[in-house]
Amino acid sequence: GPVTCLAFEPGAGMARLGAGDKAGVMSVWDTDRCAEVMRSGEHTGPVWDLSYCRPEPGLWATASDDTTARLWHITQPRSTAAIPAGCPVLCVAWNTVLESLLAFGCG
């Protein structure tokens, strides 16, 4: 589906690009190798936003119209957690220091 959001995860010697789309797919690309390193279509609605976790490389969060925020790690084939919100989740952001602190907004 059409891309709805993008975010870069800079890293030592490698940068990753995360993308979400209207079909509910979240993917992460290694920009140095131009290769997809993770892809999942677990969301049942569009992915509106995504954020990488600076203190924990490879950890991402997504916000979706399906009323969930999901956590992902590029080493796992499926999301590691789904947080039900009860309404469409429109934005998501990790704390830049604490990997255990995630915020999201609903609408």
Side-chain angles (χ1 to χ4, degrees):
V3 173
T4 55
C5 54
L6 296 168
F8 274 105
E9 176 190 14
M14 175 175 53
R16 295 185 187 109
L17 174 66
D21 72 19
K22 279 203 157 189
V25 174
M26 187 271 200
S27 57
V28 178
W29 293 79
D30 176 333
T31 59
D32 292 334
R33 295 185 299 125
C34 295
E36 190 175 64
V37 294
M38 192 215 102
R39 180 181 189 83
S40 180
E42 285 183 57
H43 280 297
T44 58
V47 175
W48 295 123
D49 195 21
L50 70 160
S51 178
Y52 74 93
C53 183
R54 188 179 305 263
E56 182 64 39
L59 185 60
W60 291 76
T62 52
S64 175
D65 215 39
D66 68 5
T67 73
T68 66
R70 288 185 180 266
L71 308 184
W72 311 84
H73 197 281
I74 62 165
T75 61
Q76 303 296 316
R78 298 184 55 81
S79 64
T80 58
I83 305 165
C87 60
V89 183
L90 304 176
C91 55
V92 64
W94 285 102
N95 182 288
T96 58
V97 178
L98 302 171
E99 70 272 5
S100 60
L101 186 55
L102 176 72
F104 60 87
C106 298

